[in-house]
Amino acid sequence: MGDTPGREGPTEPTLEEQLAAYQREFQDLDPQVEKIVSALSRLNRRMNVAFGRQTAELGITNADWEVLKALVLSGAPYRMGPGDLAKRLGLTPAAMTHRIDRMVAEGLVSRDRDETNRVRVIVEVTDAGREKWMEVMRMSTVFEGDLLQDLSTDERTALDEMLTRLLRRVEDAQPDAGGRLTDLD
């Protein structure tokens, strides 16, 4: 583990270096389990960073993408209340309000009173927001295809099944763990 030429400061240890350090400090570790979990964690983080760079090129943040995705997944007419959005994304109401304010200013969503209940506010994807969602979907299709290009169809099927089983285990054990521990924006 050392410095990489052209980069400031130390680099992240390789999985093998990390595993060796863990085993040195904690002998009861199952190295295979730790390597798998560490690889999944790193993959998730790196995918988020890489995806964020690509969405930034399209003029949108990952946070904005999460909101647009939640609204589109809700089905036409792509609208939800801010409280429902906050729950879906695991955010506090204050963080959701901040995110919606920013997205309204960018023209990605609108925020209006519900005509059937004037106390309730509705957030809806605008035409510009829907087009931005489509741009990101086109970009992510290429990004995700590139990510999995080295896997055969059988390997993709096996990985899909294994990751889905792992996800179900976590979701069953921690059904309320879909959000964040703290607000990130």
Side-chain angles (χ1 to χ4, degrees), residues 39-51:
L40 286 171
S41 177
R42 286 180 184 211
L43 178 61
N44 180 57
R45 187 176 27 150
R46 283 177 169 74
M47 283 177 55
N48 282 335
V49 169
F51 190 74

PDB file of all heavy atoms in Angstrom, residues 39-51:
ATOM      1  N   ALA A  39     -15.467  -6.526  -1.280  1.00  0.00           N
ATOM      2  CA  ALA A  39     -15.548  -6.298  -2.728  1.00  0.00           C
ATOM      3  C   ALA A  39     -16.899  -5.689  -3.099  1.00  0.00           C
ATOM      4  O   ALA A  39     -16.958  -4.749  -3.900  1.00  0.00           O
ATOM      5  CB  ALA A  39     -15.321  -7.608  -3.491  1.00  0.00           C
ATOM      6  N   LEU A  40     -17.985  -6.179  -2.506  1.00  0.00           N
ATOM      7  CA  LEU A  40     -19.299  -5.600  -2.771  1.00  0.00           C
ATOM      8  C   LEU A  40     -19.363  -4.144  -2.331  1.00  0.00           C
ATOM      9  O   LEU A  40     -19.910  -3.297  -3.040  1.00  0.00           O
ATOM     10  CB  LEU A  40     -20.393  -6.411  -2.062  1.00  0.00           C
ATOM     11  CG  LEU A  40     -20.735  -7.767  -2.657  1.00  0.00           C
ATOM     12  CD1 LEU A  40     -21.664  -8.538  -1.722  1.00  0.00           C
ATOM     13  CD2 LEU A  40     -21.368  -7.608  -4.026  1.00  0.00           C
ATOM     14  N   SER A  41     -18.811  -3.866  -1.177  1.00  0.00           N
ATOM     15  CA  SER A  41     -18.816  -2.493  -0.659  1.00  0.00           C
ATOM     16  C   SER A  41     -18.024  -1.557  -1.568  1.00  0.00           C
ATOM     17  O   SER A  41     -18.486  -0.469  -1.907  1.00  0.00           O
ATOM     18  CB  SER A  41     -18.230  -2.476   0.757  1.00  0.00           C
ATOM     19  OG  SER A  41     -18.155  -1.172   1.246  1.00  0.00           O
ATOM     20  N   ARG A  42     -16.850  -1.992  -1.972  1.00  0.00           N
ATOM     21  CA  ARG A  42     -16.033  -1.165  -2.865  1.00  0.00           C
ATOM     22  C   ARG A  42     -16.698  -0.976  -4.222  1.00  0.00           C
ATOM     23  O   ARG A  42     -16.667   0.107  -4.801  1.00  0.00           O
ATOM     24  CB  ARG A  42     -14.658  -1.784  -3.066  1.00  0.00           C
ATOM     25  CG  ARG A  42     -13.759  -1.632  -1.879  1.00  0.00           C
ATOM     26  CD  ARG A  42     -12.422  -2.261  -2.168  1.00  0.00           C
ATOM     27  NE  ARG A  42     -11.593  -2.193  -0.984  1.00  0.00           N
ATOM     28  CZ  ARG A  42     -10.280  -2.093  -1.032  1.00  0.00           C
ATOM     29  NH1 ARG A  42      -9.648  -2.044  -2.173  1.00  0.00           N
ATOM     30  NH2 ARG A  42      -9.593  -2.030   0.090  1.00  0.00           N
ATOM     31  N   LEU A  43     -17.280  -2.045  -4.736  1.00  0.00           N
ATOM     32  CA  LEU A  43     -17.957  -1.963  -6.027  1.00  0.00           C
ATOM     33  C   LEU A  43     -19.100  -0.960  -5.950  1.00  0.00           C
ATOM     34  O   LEU A  43     -19.252  -0.110  -6.833  1.00  0.00           O
ATOM     35  CB  LEU A  43     -18.479  -3.340  -6.445  1.00  0.00           C
ATOM     36  CG  LEU A  43     -19.255  -3.393  -7.752  1.00  0.00           C
ATOM     37  CD1 LEU A  43     -18.400  -2.937  -8.935  1.00  0.00           C
ATOM     38  CD2 LEU A  43     -19.785  -4.806  -7.982  1.00  0.00           C
ATOM     39  N   ASN A  44     -19.886  -1.028  -4.902  1.00  0.00           N
ATOM     40  CA  ASN A  44     -21.000  -0.096  -4.721  1.00  0.00           C
ATOM     41  C   ASN A  44     -20.504   1.349  -4.671  1.00  0.00           C
ATOM     42  O   ASN A  44     -21.040   2.221  -5.353  1.00  0.00           O
ATOM     43  CB  ASN A  44     -21.775  -0.443  -3.456  1.00  0.00           C
ATOM     44  CG  ASN A  44     -22.932   0.493  -3.235  1.00  0.00           C
ATOM     45  OD1 ASN A  44     -23.804   0.643  -4.081  1.00  0.00           O
ATOM     46  ND2 ASN A  44     -22.937   1.146  -2.090  1.00  0.00           N
ATOM     47  N   ARG A  45     -19.474   1.586  -3.888  1.00  0.00           N
ATOM     48  CA  ARG A  45     -18.953   2.954  -3.759  1.00  0.00           C
ATOM     49  C   ARG A  45     -18.403   3.458  -5.083  1.00  0.00           C
ATOM     50  O   ARG A  45     -18.699   4.577  -5.510  1.00  0.00           O
ATOM     51  CB  ARG A  45     -17.867   2.992  -2.684  1.00  0.00           C
ATOM     52  CG  ARG A  45     -17.383   4.390  -2.355  1.00  0.00           C
ATOM     53  CD  ARG A  45     -16.390   4.361  -1.237  1.00  0.00           C
ATOM     54  NE  ARG A  45     -15.768   3.053  -1.295  1.00  0.00           N
ATOM     55  CZ  ARG A  45     -14.537   2.747  -0.935  1.00  0.00           C
ATOM     56  NH1 ARG A  45     -13.797   3.593  -0.423  1.00  0.00           N
ATOM     57  NH2 ARG A  45     -14.024   1.565  -1.069  1.00  0.00           N
ATOM     58  N   ARG A  46     -17.626   2.640  -5.751  1.00  0.00           N
ATOM     59  CA  ARG A  46     -17.027   3.066  -7.016  1.00  0.00           C
ATOM     60  C   ARG A  46     -18.086   3.256  -8.107  1.00  0.00           C
ATOM     61  O   ARG A  46     -17.987   4.158  -8.934  1.00  0.00           O
ATOM     62  CB  ARG A  46     -15.959   2.075  -7.442  1.00  0.00           C
ATOM     63  CG  ARG A  46     -14.680   2.257  -6.635  1.00  0.00           C
ATOM     64  CD  ARG A  46     -13.632   1.228  -7.014  1.00  0.00           C
ATOM     65  NE  ARG A  46     -12.337   1.547  -6.441  1.00  0.00           N
ATOM     66  CZ  ARG A  46     -12.015   1.413  -5.169  1.00  0.00           C
ATOM     67  NH1 ARG A  46     -12.907   0.975  -4.307  1.00  0.00           N
ATOM     68  NH2 ARG A  46     -10.807   1.730  -4.730  1.00  0.00           N
ATOM     69  N   MET A  47     -19.094   2.391  -8.120  1.00  0.00           N
ATOM     70  CA  MET A  47     -20.176   2.563  -9.091  1.00  0.00           C
ATOM     71  C   MET A  47     -20.911   3.870  -8.832  1.00  0.00           C
ATOM     72  O   MET A  47     -21.247   4.586  -9.782  1.00  0.00           O
ATOM     73  CB  MET A  47     -21.158   1.393  -9.010  1.00  0.00           C
ATOM     74  CG  MET A  47     -20.655   0.125  -9.666  1.00  0.00           C
ATOM     75  SD  MET A  47     -21.803  -1.264  -9.477  1.00  0.00           S
ATOM     76  CE  MET A  47     -23.314  -0.580 -10.140  1.00  0.00           C
ATOM     77  N   ASN A  48     -21.160   4.197  -7.570  1.00  0.00           N
ATOM     78  CA  ASN A  48     -21.842   5.453  -7.242  1.00  0.00           C
ATOM     79  C   ASN A  48     -21.021   6.661  -7.682  1.00  0.00           C
ATOM     80  O   ASN A  48     -21.568   7.621  -8.216  1.00  0.00           O
ATOM     81  CB  ASN A  48     -22.148   5.530  -5.749  1.00  0.00           C
ATOM     82  CG  ASN A  48     -23.343   4.696  -5.379  1.00  0.00           C
ATOM     83  OD1 ASN A  48     -24.211   4.432  -6.186  1.00  0.00           O
ATOM     84  ND2 ASN A  48     -23.383   4.256  -4.131  1.00  0.00           N
ATOM     85  N   VAL A  49     -19.718   6.606  -7.460  1.00  0.00           N
ATOM     86  CA  VAL A  49     -18.855   7.719  -7.869  1.00  0.00           C
ATOM     87  C   VAL A  49     -18.841   7.829  -9.396  1.00  0.00           C
ATOM     88  O   VAL A  49     -19.032   8.916  -9.951  1.00  0.00           O
ATOM     89  CB  VAL A  49     -17.428   7.552  -7.312  1.00  0.00           C
ATOM     90  CG1 VAL A  49     -16.465   8.545  -7.954  1.00  0.00           C
ATOM     91  CG2 VAL A  49     -17.430   7.720  -5.793  1.00  0.00           C
ATOM     92  N   ALA A  50     -18.633   6.707 -10.081  1.00  0.00           N
ATOM     93  CA  ALA A  50     -18.581   6.725 -11.543  1.00  0.00           C
ATOM     94  C   ALA A  50     -19.918   7.172 -12.129  1.00  0.00           C
ATOM     95  O   ALA A  50     -19.960   7.985 -13.058  1.00  0.00           O
ATOM     96  CB  ALA A  50     -18.196   5.342 -12.075  1.00  0.00           C
ATOM     97  N   PHE A  51     -21.014   6.667 -11.575  1.00  0.00           N
ATOM     98  CA  PHE A  51     -22.337   7.043 -12.055  1.00  0.00           C
ATOM     99  C   PHE A  51     -22.577   8.533 -11.799  1.00  0.00           C
ATOM    100  O   PHE A  51     -23.097   9.241 -12.655  1.00  0.00           O
ATOM    101  CB  PHE A  51     -23.405   6.192 -11.369  1.00  0.00           C
ATOM    102  CG  PHE A  51     -24.773   6.339 -11.953  1.00  0.00           C
ATOM    103  CD1 PHE A  51     -25.087   5.767 -13.170  1.00  0.00           C
ATOM    104  CD2 PHE A  51     -25.758   7.040 -11.288  1.00  0.00           C
ATOM    105  CE1 PHE A  51     -26.352   5.893 -13.719  1.00  0.00           C
ATOM    106  CE2 PHE A  51     -27.023   7.181 -11.823  1.00  0.00           C
ATOM    107  CZ  PHE A  51     -27.322   6.601 -13.041  1.00  0.00           C
TER     108      PHE A  51
END
